[in-house]
Amino acid sequence: MAESPQLSNREWEVVELLLQGKSNKLIASSLSISERTVEFHLKNIYDKFDVSSRVELILKLGNAANKPETEKQGFSTVDQAGQGAENEGGPDSQMNWVTSLKESVSMIGKESGLLNVSPQDEAGNMSFLEAIRVCLTKYAEFNGRATRAEFWWFTLFVVLVAGALMYVSEALSSIFLIAVLLPQLAVGARRLHDIGKSGWWLLYLLLPVGGIVLLVWLWSLPGVAQPAVDELAA
């Protein structure tokens, strides 16, 4: 059986933080070193483990952690992350992770009533992909109405994509959130119109905690009759 590569203490520290899912920036901050130094250590680690990316490294360490012999060779740090690391490899496992998260959020939303559609909204009910298409098409459209399904499916989309991008790059996740901020606010205003409230209620987002809780509760309410909304718009 091949022996484990000989790593320096600093390189093992980098490996441990990498297995915790931390980005290069967070690793550098935790170890009080620069990102270029982290990249230098990672390059050496990749060479020693004969891999070309952090995903391959995590998979290799995860496989090694499943063998009792390797626990004596310095892989004890992988024990807690072995199963999670294996699940991060390959498009199929990543898709399974996204699907599972989507199903979990959808189930929680249905049980709490956030994604339930009342009889008067059934004609306007839409699928996950349709909600994304509508919200992006109405990118900055603050007028009109939005059903609960449209609002919460789009919110779910934002959470899923932002979470997935966070594993790739914090910068990409931040850019995405900035890009979808306007359509998220727009669909939030249309959802308020659907329950007979003014879009100016979005200003409650400026209040810490309490304002967000209030708006989440309002966004979960069923829509009101069309005349009330027309009168509000007038």
Side-chain angles (χ1 to χ4, degrees), residues 26-53:
L26 291 178
I27 293 176
S29 176
S30 299
L31 299 178
S32 299
I33 58 179
S34 67
E35 289 188 57
R36 293 181 63 87
T37 303
V38 173
E39 293 174 358
F40 172 78
H41 286 312
L42 285 176
K43 183 178 182 300
N44 290 337
I45 293 169
Y46 293 163
D47 290 341
K48 291 178 180 180
F49 278 96
D50 193 24
V51 296
S52 58
S53 68

mmCIF file of all heavy atoms in Angstrom, residues 26-53:
data_model
loop_
_atom_site.group_PDB
_atom_site.id
_atom_site.type_symbol
_atom_site.label_atom_id
_atom_site.label_comp_id
_atom_site.label_asym_id
_atom_site.label_seq_id
_atom_site.Cartn_x
_atom_site.Cartn_y
_atom_site.Cartn_z
ATOM 1 N N LEU A 26 -10.666 32.597 3.023
ATOM 2 C CA LEU A 26 -10.915 32.249 4.421
ATOM 3 C C LEU A 26 -9.747 31.465 5.024
ATOM 4 O O LEU A 26 -9.424 31.619 6.204
ATOM 5 C CB LEU A 26 -12.205 31.437 4.534
ATOM 6 C CG LEU A 26 -13.506 32.191 4.242
ATOM 7 C CD1 LEU A 26 -14.703 31.261 4.329
ATOM 8 C CD2 LEU A 26 -13.662 33.354 5.213
ATOM 9 N N ILE A 27 -9.138 30.604 4.206
ATOM 10 C CA ILE A 27 -7.966 29.865 4.684
ATOM 11 C C ILE A 27 -6.840 30.840 5.028
ATOM 12 O O ILE A 27 -6.193 30.720 6.072
ATOM 13 C CB ILE A 27 -7.498 28.850 3.620
ATOM 14 C CG1 ILE A 27 -8.557 27.741 3.432
ATOM 15 C CG2 ILE A 27 -6.170 28.228 4.022
ATOM 16 C CD1 ILE A 27 -8.223 26.760 2.329
ATOM 17 N N ALA A 28 -6.622 31.810 4.135
ATOM 18 C CA ALA A 28 -5.573 32.804 4.376
ATOM 19 C C ALA A 28 -5.858 33.593 5.650
ATOM 20 O O ALA A 28 -4.948 33.863 6.454
ATOM 21 C CB ALA A 28 -5.467 33.748 3.180
ATOM 22 N N SER A 29 -7.115 33.950 5.854
ATOM 23 C CA SER A 29 -7.487 34.710 7.055
ATOM 24 C C SER A 29 -7.294 33.879 8.315
ATOM 25 O O SER A 29 -6.800 34.380 9.339
ATOM 26 C CB SER A 29 -8.945 35.171 6.941
ATOM 27 O OG SER A 29 -9.361 35.833 8.115
ATOM 28 N N SER A 30 -7.658 32.594 8.259
ATOM 29 C CA SER A 30 -7.538 31.727 9.430
ATOM 30 C C SER A 30 -6.081 31.497 9.822
ATOM 31 O O SER A 30 -5.761 31.382 11.008
ATOM 32 C CB SER A 30 -8.216 30.381 9.160
ATOM 33 O OG SER A 30 -9.593 30.544 8.895
ATOM 34 N N LEU A 31 -5.205 31.423 8.812
ATOM 35 C CA LEU A 31 -3.792 31.135 9.075
ATOM 36 C C LEU A 31 -2.922 32.390 9.108
ATOM 37 O O LEU A 31 -1.707 32.296 9.281
ATOM 38 C CB LEU A 31 -3.257 30.172 8.008
ATOM 39 C CG LEU A 31 -3.943 28.803 7.927
ATOM 40 C CD1 LEU A 31 -3.342 27.969 6.804
ATOM 41 C CD2 LEU A 31 -3.835 28.060 9.256
ATOM 42 N N SER A 32 -3.564 33.561 8.901
ATOM 43 C CA SER A 32 -2.830 34.841 8.908
ATOM 44 C C SER A 32 -1.723 34.865 7.859
ATOM 45 O O SER A 32 -0.589 35.275 8.125
ATOM 46 C CB SER A 32 -2.245 35.106 10.304
ATOM 47 O OG SER A 32 -3.268 35.186 11.265
ATOM 48 N N ILE A 33 -2.065 34.374 6.670
ATOM 49 C CA ILE A 33 -1.133 34.413 5.545
ATOM 50 C C ILE A 33 -1.854 35.008 4.346
ATOM 51 O O ILE A 33 -3.064 35.241 4.385
ATOM 52 C CB ILE A 33 -0.587 33.003 5.204
ATOM 53 C CG1 ILE A 33 -1.754 32.050 4.875
ATOM 54 C CG2 ILE A 33 0.236 32.452 6.350
ATOM 55 C CD1 ILE A 33 -1.317 30.647 4.502
ATOM 56 N N SER A 34 -1.120 35.258 3.266
ATOM 57 C CA SER A 34 -1.734 35.831 2.073
ATOM 58 C C SER A 34 -2.373 34.741 1.205
ATOM 59 O O SER A 34 -2.056 33.553 1.345
ATOM 60 C CB SER A 34 -0.680 36.584 1.250
ATOM 61 O OG SER A 34 0.277 35.673 0.715
ATOM 62 N N GLU A 35 -3.276 35.174 0.327
ATOM 63 C CA GLU A 35 -3.918 34.216 -0.574
ATOM 64 C C GLU A 35 -2.898 33.593 -1.526
ATOM 65 O O GLU A 35 -3.035 32.428 -1.908
ATOM 66 C CB GLU A 35 -5.029 34.914 -1.368
ATOM 67 C CG GLU A 35 -6.249 35.274 -0.536
ATOM 68 C CD GLU A 35 -7.392 35.778 -1.382
ATOM 69 O OE1 GLU A 35 -7.824 35.053 -2.299
ATOM 70 O OE2 GLU A 35 -7.856 36.909 -1.136
ATOM 71 N N ARG A 36 -1.883 34.362 -1.920
ATOM 72 C CA ARG A 36 -0.854 33.820 -2.809
ATOM 73 C C ARG A 36 -0.086 32.695 -2.111
ATOM 74 O O ARG A 36 0.281 31.700 -2.750
ATOM 75 C CB ARG A 36 0.106 34.938 -3.242
ATOM 76 C CG ARG A 36 -0.535 35.984 -4.134
ATOM 77 C CD ARG A 36 0.482 37.043 -4.550
ATOM 78 N NE ARG A 36 1.548 36.473 -5.351
ATOM 79 C CZ ARG A 36 1.485 36.324 -6.670
ATOM 80 N NH1 ARG A 36 0.409 36.690 -7.319
ATOM 81 N NH2 ARG A 36 2.507 35.822 -7.336
ATOM 82 N N THR A 37 0.116 32.849 -0.799
ATOM 83 C CA THR A 37 0.790 31.786 -0.050
ATOM 84 C C THR A 37 -0.086 30.539 0.012
ATOM 85 O O THR A 37 0.407 29.407 -0.101
ATOM 86 C CB THR A 37 1.122 32.259 1.380
ATOM 87 O OG1 THR A 37 1.932 33.439 1.310
ATOM 88 C CG2 THR A 37 1.869 31.187 2.149
ATOM 89 N N VAL A 38 -1.394 30.745 0.190
ATOM 90 C CA VAL A 38 -2.320 29.614 0.192
ATOM 91 C C VAL A 38 -2.278 28.893 -1.144
ATOM 92 O O VAL A 38 -2.236 27.653 -1.208
ATOM 93 C CB VAL A 38 -3.758 30.089 0.505
ATOM 94 C CG1 VAL A 38 -4.747 28.926 0.329
ATOM 95 C CG2 VAL A 38 -3.849 30.640 1.911
ATOM 96 N N GLU A 39 -2.291 29.665 -2.244
ATOM 97 C CA GLU A 39 -2.228 29.063 -3.576
ATOM 98 C C GLU A 39 -0.918 28.281 -3.758
ATOM 99 O O GLU A 39 -0.910 27.215 -4.387
ATOM 100 C CB GLU A 39 -2.351 30.163 -4.634
ATOM 101 C CG GLU A 39 -3.724 30.832 -4.653
ATOM 102 C CD GLU A 39 -3.767 32.015 -5.604
ATOM 103 O OE1 GLU A 39 -2.710 32.331 -6.212
ATOM 104 O OE2 GLU A 39 -4.835 32.633 -5.731
ATOM 105 N N PHE A 40 0.186 28.814 -3.200
ATOM 106 C CA PHE A 40 1.474 28.130 -3.292
ATOM 107 C C PHE A 40 1.415 26.784 -2.558
ATOM 108 O O PHE A 40 1.855 25.751 -3.078
ATOM 109 C CB PHE A 40 2.575 29.022 -2.699
ATOM 110 C CG PHE A 40 3.907 28.334 -2.565
ATOM 111 C CD1 PHE A 40 4.739 28.155 -3.659
ATOM 112 C CD2 PHE A 40 4.333 27.863 -1.325
ATOM 113 C CE1 PHE A 40 5.965 27.518 -3.537
ATOM 114 C CE2 PHE A 40 5.555 27.219 -1.195
ATOM 115 C CZ PHE A 40 6.377 27.048 -2.297
ATOM 116 N N HIS A 41 0.851 26.789 -1.342
ATOM 117 C CA HIS A 41 0.733 25.546 -0.576
ATOM 118 C C HIS A 41 -0.187 24.551 -1.287
ATOM 119 O O HIS A 41 0.101 23.348 -1.328
ATOM 120 C CB HIS A 41 0.188 25.839 0.824
ATOM 121 C CG HIS A 41 1.184 26.478 1.739
ATOM 122 N ND1 HIS A 41 2.469 26.009 1.903
ATOM 123 C CD2 HIS A 41 1.077 27.569 2.557
ATOM 124 C CE1 HIS A 41 3.116 26.763 2.774
ATOM 125 N NE2 HIS A 41 2.289 27.726 3.184
ATOM 126 N N LEU A 42 -1.284 25.050 -1.854
ATOM 127 C CA LEU A 42 -2.210 24.158 -2.543
ATOM 128 C C LEU A 42 -1.553 23.505 -3.748
ATOM 129 O O LEU A 42 -1.779 22.318 -4.031
ATOM 130 C CB LEU A 42 -3.464 24.921 -2.972
ATOM 131 C CG LEU A 42 -4.465 25.252 -1.862
ATOM 132 C CD1 LEU A 42 -5.600 26.099 -2.409
ATOM 133 C CD2 LEU A 42 -5.023 23.984 -1.239
ATOM 134 N N LYS A 43 -0.736 24.284 -4.467
ATOM 135 C CA LYS A 43 -0.039 23.717 -5.632
ATOM 136 C C LYS A 43 0.883 22.571 -5.202
ATOM 137 O O LYS A 43 0.921 21.510 -5.848
ATOM 138 C CB LYS A 43 0.766 24.807 -6.346
ATOM 139 C CG LYS A 43 1.474 24.316 -7.609
ATOM 140 C CD LYS A 43 2.213 25.460 -8.273
ATOM 141 C CE LYS A 43 2.870 24.976 -9.567
ATOM 142 N NZ LYS A 43 3.830 23.885 -9.341
ATOM 143 N N ASN A 44 1.609 22.792 -4.113
ATOM 144 C CA ASN A 44 2.485 21.733 -3.611
ATOM 145 C C ASN A 44 1.689 20.513 -3.156
ATOM 146 O O ASN A 44 2.078 19.365 -3.392
ATOM 147 C CB ASN A 44 3.330 22.262 -2.445
ATOM 148 C CG ASN A 44 4.385 23.258 -2.896
ATOM 149 O OD1 ASN A 44 4.787 23.260 -4.068
ATOM 150 N ND2 ASN A 44 4.830 24.108 -1.995
ATOM 151 N N ILE A 45 0.557 20.765 -2.511
ATOM 152 C CA ILE A 45 -0.286 19.661 -2.034
ATOM 153 C C ILE A 45 -0.845 18.868 -3.205
ATOM 154 O O ILE A 45 -0.860 17.630 -3.198
ATOM 155 C CB ILE A 45 -1.425 20.208 -1.152
ATOM 156 C CG1 ILE A 45 -0.854 20.799 0.143
ATOM 157 C CG2 ILE A 45 -2.430 19.105 -0.812
ATOM 158 C CD1 ILE A 45 -1.870 21.600 0.948
ATOM 159 N N TYR A 46 -1.303 19.582 -4.243
ATOM 160 C CA TYR A 46 -1.828 18.894 -5.433
ATOM 161 C C TYR A 46 -0.761 18.006 -6.054
ATOM 162 O O TYR A 46 -1.035 16.860 -6.458
ATOM 163 C CB TYR A 46 -2.307 19.915 -6.470
ATOM 164 C CG TYR A 46 -3.514 20.724 -6.061
ATOM 165 C CD1 TYR A 46 -3.842 21.902 -6.733
ATOM 166 C CD2 TYR A 46 -4.337 20.314 -5.012
ATOM 167 C CE1 TYR A 46 -4.944 22.648 -6.361
ATOM 168 C CE2 TYR A 46 -5.438 21.061 -4.644
ATOM 169 C CZ TYR A 46 -5.738 22.234 -5.318
ATOM 170 O OH TYR A 46 -6.827 22.969 -4.967
ATOM 171 N N ASP A 47 0.466 18.549 -6.139
ATOM 172 C CA ASP A 47 1.559 17.779 -6.741
ATOM 173 C C ASP A 47 1.856 16.528 -5.918
ATOM 174 O O ASP A 47 2.072 15.438 -6.476
ATOM 175 C CB ASP A 47 2.817 18.646 -6.840
ATOM 176 C CG ASP A 47 2.674 19.763 -7.880
ATOM 177 O OD1 ASP A 47 1.779 19.628 -8.754
ATOM 178 O OD2 ASP A 47 3.424 20.752 -7.805
ATOM 179 N N LYS A 48 1.850 16.665 -4.604
ATOM 180 C CA LYS A 48 2.186 15.526 -3.745
ATOM 181 C C LYS A 48 1.104 14.454 -3.769
ATOM 182 O O LYS A 48 1.398 13.260 -3.645
ATOM 183 C CB LYS A 48 2.427 16.010 -2.307
ATOM 184 C CG LYS A 48 3.689 16.853 -2.150
ATOM 185 C CD LYS A 48 3.872 17.342 -0.730
ATOM 186 C CE LYS A 48 5.135 18.191 -0.598
ATOM 187 N NZ LYS A 48 5.344 18.683 0.791
ATOM 188 N N PHE A 49 -0.150 14.866 -3.935
ATOM 189 C CA PHE A 49 -1.245 13.897 -3.994
ATOM 190 C C PHE A 49 -1.572 13.486 -5.423
ATOM 191 O O PHE A 49 -2.494 12.702 -5.652
ATOM 192 C CB PHE A 49 -2.495 14.479 -3.329
ATOM 193 C CG PHE A 49 -2.500 14.354 -1.828
ATOM 194 C CD1 PHE A 49 -2.065 15.403 -1.040
ATOM 195 C CD2 PHE A 49 -2.920 13.183 -1.210
ATOM 196 C CE1 PHE A 49 -2.060 15.303 0.342
ATOM 197 C CE2 PHE A 49 -2.931 13.069 0.173
ATOM 198 C CZ PHE A 49 -2.498 14.134 0.955
ATOM 199 N N ASP A 50 -0.844 14.088 -6.401
ATOM 200 C CA ASP A 50 -1.051 13.765 -7.815
ATOM 201 C C ASP A 50 -2.486 14.063 -8.252
ATOM 202 O O ASP A 50 -3.156 13.237 -8.862
ATOM 203 C CB ASP A 50 -0.707 12.298 -8.091
ATOM 204 C CG ASP A 50 -0.594 12.013 -9.589
ATOM 205 O OD1 ASP A 50 -0.321 12.959 -10.347
ATOM 206 O OD2 ASP A 50 -0.792 10.853 -9.989
ATOM 207 N N VAL A 51 -2.987 15.258 -7.913
ATOM 208 C CA VAL A 51 -4.314 15.702 -8.333
ATOM 209 C C VAL A 51 -4.160 17.081 -8.960
ATOM 210 O O VAL A 51 -3.103 17.716 -8.863
ATOM 211 C CB VAL A 51 -5.300 15.760 -7.140
ATOM 212 C CG1 VAL A 51 -5.526 14.369 -6.560
ATOM 213 C CG2 VAL A 51 -4.814 16.714 -6.061
ATOM 214 N N SER A 52 -5.243 17.555 -9.588
ATOM 215 C CA SER A 52 -5.169 18.850 -10.270
ATOM 216 C C SER A 52 -6.177 19.863 -9.754
ATOM 217 O O SER A 52 -6.213 20.994 -10.221
ATOM 218 C CB SER A 52 -5.395 18.654 -11.782
ATOM 219 O OG SER A 52 -6.657 18.042 -12.019
ATOM 220 N N SER A 53 -7.036 19.472 -8.796
ATOM 221 C CA SER A 53 -8.024 20.402 -8.264
ATOM 222 C C SER A 53 -8.377 20.019 -6.840
ATOM 223 O O SER A 53 -8.073 18.914 -6.385
ATOM 224 C CB SER A 53 -9.290 20.402 -9.128
ATOM 225 O OG SER A 53 -9.970 19.158 -9.016
#
